[in-house]
Amino acid sequence: MGDCLFCKIVRHEIPASIEYEDDRVLAFNDVNPQAPTHVLIVPKRHIATLSELSVEDDQLVGEIVRRAAAIARARGISAGGFRTVFNTNRDAGQTVFHIHLHLIGGRSLGWPPG
Ligand code: AMP
Ligand code: ZN
């Protein structure tokens, strides 16, 4: 996906504050953080929304979720608590159509979300 913002970050064509990288997954700090920790964990392969996932992606999604937990642990916010969110489509406010898990924490978070 040549014009996808997060594919460009994956290819290091636009800068990001990278937190973690391996062959399949990239994690970087959100440019507009909503909490002291706000990291986005993405698959390197372009997948637009959760609706496009197939059974072959189960391992990849597991790696993304476990990476969020590992970053939370490394940041020292695991015991206190953190939130992980995939926004999907309009009503959830998805603005970048390359799936990304938000890892948000470092402060007390309200529920339900707005
Ligand atoms: P969503 O609304 O769930 O699609 O989330 C998109 C997120 O991407 C928002 O939290 C944005 O602040 C974040 N974002 C947009 N552009 C960038 C960028 N260049 N680097 C890092 N995060 C970004
Ligand atoms: Zn993409």
Side-chain angles (χ1 to χ4, degrees):
M1 282 291 284
D3 56 352
C4 168
L5 177 64
F6 288 175
C7 282
K8 288 179 179 166
I9 289 177
V10 164
R11 294 194 299 263
H12 301 280
E13 290 172 9
I14 64 173
S17 167
I18 292 175
E19 183 83 12
Y20 174 85
E21 179 166 18
D22 65 24
D23 289 348
R24 294 170 303 282
V25 172
L26 184 71
F28 52 94
N29 289 287
D30 196 295
V31 77
N32 182 24
Q34 301 302 310
T37 285
H38 190 169
V39 176
L40 304 176
I41 302 100
V42 309
K44 287 195 163 179
R45 183 160 57 80
H46 182 83
I47 303 170
T49 78
L50 293 194
S51 304
E52 277 73 53
L53 288 171
S54 68
V55 67
E56 287 78 28
D57 300 316
D58 286 3
Q59 166 86 20
L60 178 63
V61 174
E63 288 177 20
I64 287 168
V65 173
R66 289 200 311 108
R67 183 54 51 193
I71 293 169
R73 218 162 32 243
R75 295 258 185 131
I77 62 168
S78 191
F82 57 88
R83 185 164 296 159
T84 42
V85 178
F86 285 106
N87 291 321
T88 300
N89 289 334
R90 182 195 58 222
D91 283 355
Q94 185 177 6
T95 59
V96 179
F97 285 80
H98 177 136
I99 63 170
H100 47 282
L101 182 58
H102 293 260
L103 165 63
I104 300 167
R107 65 172 172 82
S108 181
L109 301 166
W111 189 265

